[in-house]
Amino acid sequence: MNIDFEKMGGLVPAIVQDYITRQVLMLGYMNEESLKKTEETGKVTFYSRSRQCLWTKGETSGNFLHVKEIYVDCDNDTILIKAKADGPTCHKGTTSCFDFEESNIGFLSYLQEFIDKRNQTRPTGSYTTKLFKEGVNKIAKKVGEEAVELVIESKDNNDDLFLNEAADLLYHCIVLFSAKGKKIEDVVGVLKSRHKE
């Protein structure tokens, strides 16, 4: 990783993003030493400009940021860290230090990861485990049933039932993707390839 620390006097901005939802969690600054500690410990460590020392995010609150991936921008002077947060990132108790309404779309990535983990671990008593044990044909049949139920609800004026059936369909589709070794992102990739402005 070739980072130009000298460009801005030894510090570079480091953006931290939730590795699943892609929500921007915070911005801090890193020097070479804090980046090295981040890489060694797997916990995001910044350089505090006010205290003039290293500080690991979460060392007092317990809300650590666990590194999943690190990227450098095209000018080699900004770092992007994808991380898993143990709790709220902001000292105000919010998920992000940025005051904006989080999109629910990012939850789909989280749900995909959760379902994939269920497929791998297959804990007893889980409905998702039951589906995986029944196999692809049964899961596909369930997707068909949920699709029909969604069509039926779309003909009425009960938005609550319509949205619940849509949620059931989407959930079972993600289970089917996982059973087939695919992700919702693969489907999004197909949609993007078809999209024309």
Side-chain angles (χ1 to χ4, degrees):
M1 196 177 314
N2 183 24
I3 299 170
D4 189 354
F5 285 101
E6 296 309 311
K7 191 184 222 179
M8 297 194 302
L11 295 177
V12 296
I15 302 159
V16 182
Q17 181 183 43
D18 186 285
Y19 84 108
I20 293 176
T21 67
R22 297 179 178 84
Q23 181 181 17
V24 174
L25 300 176
M26 69 174 296
L27 169 72
Y29 289 87
M30 288 186 165
N31 61 10
E32 289 186 67
E33 189 182 358
S34 64
L35 177 61
K36 184 177 179 187
K37 186 172 179 185
T38 295
E39 292 174 326
E40 288 173 354
T41 65
K43 294 177 181 173
V44 177
T45 300
F46 296 106
Y47 180 80
S48 171
R49 295 171 297 165
S50 59
R51 291 178 288 170
Q52 301 283 297
C53 64
L54 299 186
W55 65 279
T56 300
K57 179 67 180 160
E59 61 191 7
T60 54
S61 67
N63 296 329
F64 293 101
L65 294 169
H66 301 276
V67 176
K68 295 294 184 180
E69 298 169 327
I70 300 177
Y71 299 92
V72 181
D73 78 336
C74 57
D75 292 324
N76 297 320
D77 61 6
T78 303
I79 299 170
L80 173 65
I81 300 173
K82 293 191 175 186
K84 178 187 179 297
D86 279 340
T89 299
C90 184
H91 69 282
K92 292 182 176 180
T94 56
T95 301
S96 170
C97 292
F98 295 92
D99 186 20
F100 64 92
E101 192 172 321
E102 183 183 357
S103 168
N104 287 334
I105 293 298
F107 178 75
L108 289 177
S109 292
Y110 166 80
L111 184 60
Q112 176 77 67
E113 295 293 325
F114 180 85
I115 289 171
D116 285 345
K117 191 171 183 183
R118 279 285 198 262
N119 193 7
Q120 293 163 6
T121 60
R122 307 244 175 138
T124 56
S126 161
Y127 173 70
T128 309
T129 296
K130 177 180 174 285
L131 288 171
F132 283 125
K133 285 183 175 178
E134 289 177 345
V136 171
N137 289 344
K138 287 278 191 180
I139 298 168
K141 182 180 176 195
K142 191 66 179 164
V143 169
E145 291 169 3
E146 296 299 341
V148 169
E149 289 173 14
L150 178 63
V151 169
I152 291 167
E153 290 304 332
S154 70
K155 296 181 172 293
D156 295 329
N157 292 320
N158 188 325
D159 288 345
D160 187 52
L161 287 175
F162 172 74
L163 291 173
N164 273 281
E165 291 301 341
D168 288 347
L169 176 59
L170 193 50
Y171 163 79
H172 286 92
C173 279
I174 295 173
V175 172
L176 183 58
F177 300 156
S178 185
K180 296 286 289 176
K182 303 297 178 189
K183 293 186 174 291
I184 197 165
E185 287 88 349
D186 299 323
V187 179
V188 172
V190 173
L191 291 171
K192 281 174 71 176
S193 72
R194 293 177 181 176
H195 180 71
K196 292 182 173 62
E197 293 271 336

